[in-house]
Amino acid sequence: MIVLGIDPGLANLGLGLVEGDVRKARHLHHVCLTTESAWIMPRRLQYLHEEVTRLIAEYRPEAVAIEDQILRKQADVAFKVGQAFGVVQLACAQAGVPVHAYGPMQVKKALVGTGRAEKEQVIYMVKASLGVRELFNNHAADALALALTHLAHQPMQTAAARLARA
């Protein structure tokens, strides 16, 4: 299974692709898309949509795992992240790729074993799980963590779907 993890953001949007299953995952690609604050909003959103669409077409993931964030204190940040979240979901819908949302605590629990893990612990587990030694952008690391989280949850989701059909 190929999974595309996405850490949504308007200024920085992390993308990470993994292949395999929960026991053995392989790193395929990661990148952080950056938009310039001087760009008008439609141009920023168009760029994100085009790049996510291109990556989906190139790697053909079977699922997308996206961070489901709740930003209560900064309404302006939440609005911008929400717009990026929307264009990402549009790109996925247009490609027919199912989207699964995971909260930060779910990611931490899946990778480290506790929902209270520190960011450094999550990054360490991403590197260890995928055999990636290089230092990379935190947004891309978060995206890879989301993809790994989906691989961890996928067997349970498959079993639940079978039960629902029975």
Side-chain angles (χ1 to χ4, degrees), residues 69-125:
Q69 301 179 24
I70 300 174
L71 301 167
R72 297 179 185 186
K73 294 183 181 180
Q74 297 174 304
D76 59 327
V77 174
F79 184 70
K80 290 175 183 176
V81 170
Q83 289 181 62
F85 190 87
V87 297
V88 164
Q89 291 216 41
L90 173 62
C92 295
Q94 289 172 330
V97 182
V99 177
H100 305 270
Y102 298 98
M105 289 183 76
Q106 287 176 289
V107 173
K108 292 174 181 181
K109 185 164 178 122
L111 270 72
V112 181
T114 175
R116 302 273 184 222
E118 297 294 324
K119 189 167 201 71
E120 294 77 24
Q121 292 174 292
V122 174
I123 291 172
Y124 175 84
M125 289 306 294

Side-chain angles (χ1 to χ4, degrees), residues 19-37:
E19 179 180 38
D21 60 37
V22 69
R23 289 179 296 280
K24 183 152 175 75
R26 183 171 71 96
H27 172 262
L28 296 177
H29 181 72
H30 68 269
V31 67
C32 179
L33 302 178
T34 302
T35 66
E36 300 296 327
S37 59

Side-chain angles (χ1 to χ4, degrees), residues 1 4 20 30 39 54 74 78 87 90 117 130 135 160 165-166:
M1 168 175 259
L4 170 60
H30 68 269
W39 294 356
R54 183 188 61 74
Q74 297 174 304
V87 297
L90 173 62
L130 297 174
L135 295 174
R165 285 192 300 266

Side-chain angles (χ1 to χ4, degrees), residues 15 25-26 34 37 40 53 60 62 66 99 102-103 119 125 133 139 143 151 155 157 166:
L15 299 166
R26 183 171 71 96
T34 302
S37 59
I40 62 171
T53 298
R60 303 201 182 278
E62 297 164 66
I66 191 167
V99 177
Y102 298 98
K119 189 167 201 71
M125 289 306 294
R133 296 196 195 307
H139 300 287
L151 289 180
Q157 292 172 352

Side-chain angles (χ1 to χ4, degrees), residues 39-47 83:
W39 294 356
I40 62 171
M41 183 61 73
R43 174 65 187 115
R44 293 174 88 176
L45 296 173
Q46 177 186 20
Y47 171 74
Q83 289 181 62

